[in-house]
Amino acid sequence: PTISFTVYAVVPADRQRGDRLTIGAVVVPPARFQGVDPPANNQDVATTRVIQPDPGVRLRFDPSPFPVGTGGRLIADYRNADPEATATAATLHITPPAGVTIEMLPEGCWWAETAVRCTLGDLAPQQTGTVALPVTAPANLAANSLTARAEIWSWVPDHPAEMDDNIATATTDVIRPNVYVSARGPAAIIGWGSVYAYEVDYGNLYRLRPDLTRAAAGVSLRVTLPSDVQFGRASITPDRVNGRVLEWDLGALAPRFQSPQPLTLVVQTDVPAGRTLRMEALIATVTPGDDPADNRAVVETPVDPPPTVEQGQARIRLAINSEFDPLTGGANPTDAVYVTEGTQFAWPAGETLRYTPRLTEIVFPNEWDPLLLFPHYEYRARIIGWRVTGYRDDRGVWHDPRVNAGTTGCSPSPTGLPGCGHAYLSGATLAELRANRPVREDEIARQARVYWSHAPLPAFSGQRGHAYGLERLAPVGIRVAVDAEVWIVNTAPDPDDLWDGEPPEIPVAPLPPPQQQVYEETFTVNLVAPRSVVGPGSLPR
């Protein structure tokens, strides 16, 4: 009879693919047949080569980069790279990214805690295959990247030196849209007929990582105007107008899109002072994943009452000149006219002082910042003239200049206020005053004159002026007043410049009437010895 049996052996782990293994078998006959049985076929040797499977896996996301709020796939491509050996009972383990959802697993796969396990069965030599997990990144996913891991194993293991491809990882960026809107308007306006503009900017930018911005589709912009305004025009015509609600269909905005020009909306108010006008802008997209934090902009604009005219504060100095100054009559008509640094200066006794006041600064307590987006009020002023209101002698006694006004009398002030009146030199408007043009000699010669000397006094030779006899060489004084008319104007943009056609006839809130203001200053004159002894010194211009 023929008897067969099987011997199972384990290949040592240190054997390499291609190594040869030899096994021998010997049959020993019973004693009664020894010498009778031919020994030639009582033993045999079998030789075989070592073969091993070579399973491997690669992992990838589709699409990559991965958009939030939409679905895709996590794909594991597996293989048995060995040309001869079968990878017996192969299994695949996939650990998906945190935060994603997987609605349905492929056939042969199941959840094993946080990983997906798939049975692949026996992988024939050089067999390949794919397992694709349907993955969805939720719209509120916070991560900016996704990372997954896959492992493949078989009952017959790889050789340790060939196990590098048994584990794979995949990482992809996460992209998302972020449409935004911002708006601005005037810091304040007046009511009843003011025409002004709002400016709206919009775009699509994921601010945390601009390079991960996704295109935004189906973008819409809606602006709700205040209830107390009338819509005039827009730099981009709205697609729909429903009362105070304006809507634009912006379509698709590319990644990192920013509006090239602000959207300008012109409106006209019909509301009294004391109210606040509230405009709201809202932007949205149908592409999931948008962060709503910057999708809304609100502009609140207070309606100011017309301001009151406040008393201004002026800084007054004296421009002075003497006909005996060596520079008087020179080539430059302003060389011999000096402006005092403060309210005290020296002057030679016995020499006529020709002088006129200079407003070197004039400010109002509630002037508005010219850097505001839409400044709407501005002070205007007109200098009516100036007056000499008093002279102080060496004893400290003030004298009315109308009593001692030279041989030709004293001109009354146009305002009817006390003092001897004169025209203000070189500029009567507020802008001209602030430009502060220098005074010429021929101009100051027609202004006020005063003379101090020891009594008895000489005559003024028929010229207008004031002369005072002193008992001693001591400080004297001059008091002057500048008379101005001050008013406020509305400098808001001309409605015709903003509105298409004629804006509605809504009366603008009335402004306060002009106000007369007086700016006064007192100067101390330190009299010194006549010019023949000591000159007036180098006075600042």
Side-chain angles (χ1 to χ4, degrees):
T2 300
I3 300 174
S4 297
F5 60 91
T6 301
V7 177
Y8 293 93
V10 176
V11 178
D14 60 349
R15 295 293 185 173
Q16 304 292 325
R17 179 182 284 109
D19 287 355
R20 290 189 174 275
L21 300 177
T22 301
I23 186 172
V26 177
V27 176
V28 180
R32 66 177 181 272
F33 294 112
Q34 290 183 4
V36 178
D37 179 47
N41 60 351
N42 285 8
Q43 62 181 7
D44 199 4
V45 175
T47 302
T48 186
R49 286 186 306 106
V50 174
I51 61 173
Q52 281 183 297
D54 185 13
V57 65
R58 291 186 302 125
L59 198 61
R60 56 193 169 94
F61 286 94
D62 178 35
S64 180
F66 205 95
V68 299
T70 58
R73 298 185 301 166
L74 177 59
I75 302 173
D77 298 309
Y78 62 86
R79 66 193 178 280
N80 175 16
D82 192 85
E84 298 179 279
T86 296
T88 306
T91 58
L92 181 65
H93 297 248
I94 303 175
T95 304
V100 303
T101 59
I102 300 175
E103 297 295 337
M104 182 180 297
L105 295 179
E107 185 178 355
C109 298
W110 69 96
W111 281 103
E113 297 182 352
T114 59
V116 175
R117 180 175 293 181
C118 301
T119 299
L120 305 179
D122 294 343
L123 301 183
Q126 297 186 332
Q127 180 181 341
T128 61
T130 296
V131 172
L133 301 183
V135 175
T136 299
N140 61 352
L141 183 71
N144 289 321
S145 63
L146 299 176
T147 299
R149 187 175 189 269
E151 302 178 44
I152 189 169
W153 305 100
S154 67
W155 185 78
V156 179
D158 266 5
H159 192 278
E162 297 177 342
M163 295 178 64
D164 288 348
D165 58 353
N166 285 32
I167 300 176
T169 58
T171 299
T172 186
D173 288 330
V174 172
I175 57 175
R176 70 197 78 214
N178 186 54
V179 294
Y180 67 87
V181 65
S182 62
R184 57 191 175 274
I189 59 169
I190 60 173
W192 293 318
S194 293
V195 174
Y196 68 96
Y198 292 110
E199 291 185 343
V200 179
D201 291 296
Y202 58 90
N204 176 31
L205 180 69
Y206 178 41
R207 302 177 192 275
L208 186 63
R209 285 283 303 274
D211 58 308
L212 300 183
T213 306
R214 180 188 181 189
V219 180
S220 60
L221 176 64
R222 184 179 70 198
V223 172
T224 303
L225 296 173
S227 58
D228 297 304
V229 302
Q230 297 188 45
F231 173 58
R233 68 173 179 85
S235 57
I236 301 175
T237 303
D239 294 293
R240 288 171 298 281
V241 178
N242 183 12
R244 297 181 296 111
V245 179
L246 317 176
E247 294 182 320
W248 292 262
D249 297 325
L250 301 178
L253 299 186
R256 308 192 210 186
F257 174 85
Q258 295 180 340
S259 53
Q261 297 293 332
L263 169 61
T264 302
L265 308 174
V266 179
V267 298
Q268 184 178 28
T269 62
D270 187 9
V271 60
R275 299 279 293 276
T276 296
L277 302 177
R278 188 177 189 274
M279 182 273 271
E280 180 181 70
L282 185 67
I283 195 169
T285 175
V286 299
T287 303
D290 182 39
D291 182 359
D294 53 2
N295 287 19
R296 180 172 170 268
V298 174
V299 178
E300 293 189 338
T301 305
V303 182
D304 287 345
T308 58
V309 178
E310 301 290 341
Q311 174 66 40
Q313 301 297 318
R315 181 175 181 268
I316 302 177
R317 297 294 180 259
L318 288 186
I320 58 178
N321 168 258
S322 171
E323 59 185 324
F324 296 120
D325 190 296
L327 296 178
T328 296
N332 189 330
T334 64
D335 273 355
V337 178
Y338 308 92
V339 177
T340 63
E341 283 187 347
T343 58
Q344 294 192 40
F345 61 96
W347 191 257
E351 188 169 324
T352 300
L353 170 65
R354 303 191 290 196
Y355 70 94
T356 189
R358 308 300 299 149
L359 286 170
T360 60
E361 181 180 351
I362 181 169
V363 295
F364 300 94
N366 57 350
E367 275 193 280
W368 293 270
D369 185 352
L371 298 180
L372 289 176
L373 183 60
F374 297 102
H376 50 279
Y377 293 123
E378 184 177 295
Y379 268 99
R380 300 287 170 84
R382 178 179 67 88
I383 303 301
I384 301 172
W386 71 277
R387 297 171 286 125
V388 184
T389 60
Y391 287 108
R392 189 184 67 226
D393 62 21
D394 58 323
R395 298 181 303 277
V397 177
W398 285 98
H399 300 271
D400 187 339
R402 292 172 294 182
V403 176
N404 176 5
T407 58
T408 56
C410 173
S411 298
S413 167
T415 60
L417 296 174
C420 293
H422 301 273
Y424 187 84
L425 297 182
S426 65
T429 68
L430 188 58
E432 291 171 334
L433 287 172
R434 287 171 173 169
N436 202 24
R437 178 180 69 79
V439 176
R440 301 191 310 269
E441 296 167 18
D442 61 324
E443 293 175 313
I444 202 170
R446 298 190 295 271
Q447 292 280 298
R449 296 165 174 250
V450 63
Y451 175 90
W452 297 275
S453 183
H454 196 275
L457 294 176
F460 258 105
S461 303
Q463 298 183 19
R464 176 182 302 179
H466 295 79
Y468 295 95
L470 307 178
E471 297 180 358
R472 55 197 176 92
L473 199 63
V476 294
I478 303 173
R479 188 165 57 214
V480 300
V482 179
D483 299 320
E485 183 180 55
V486 179
W487 68 98
I488 290 173
V489 297
N490 182 2
T491 58
D494 188 339
D496 294 336
D497 295 337
L498 295 175
W499 203 273
D500 288 337
E502 289 294 327
E505 288 294 334
I506 301 175
V508 176
L511 293 170
Q515 181 188 95
Q516 287 195 357
Q517 296 189 359
V518 177
Y519 313 122
E520 295 184 282
E521 188 62 83
T522 299
F523 295 87
T524 297
V525 183
N526 297 309
L527 294 176
V528 297
R531 182 181 292 268
S532 59
V533 180
V534 177
S538 178
L539 296 175
R541 295 182 183 275

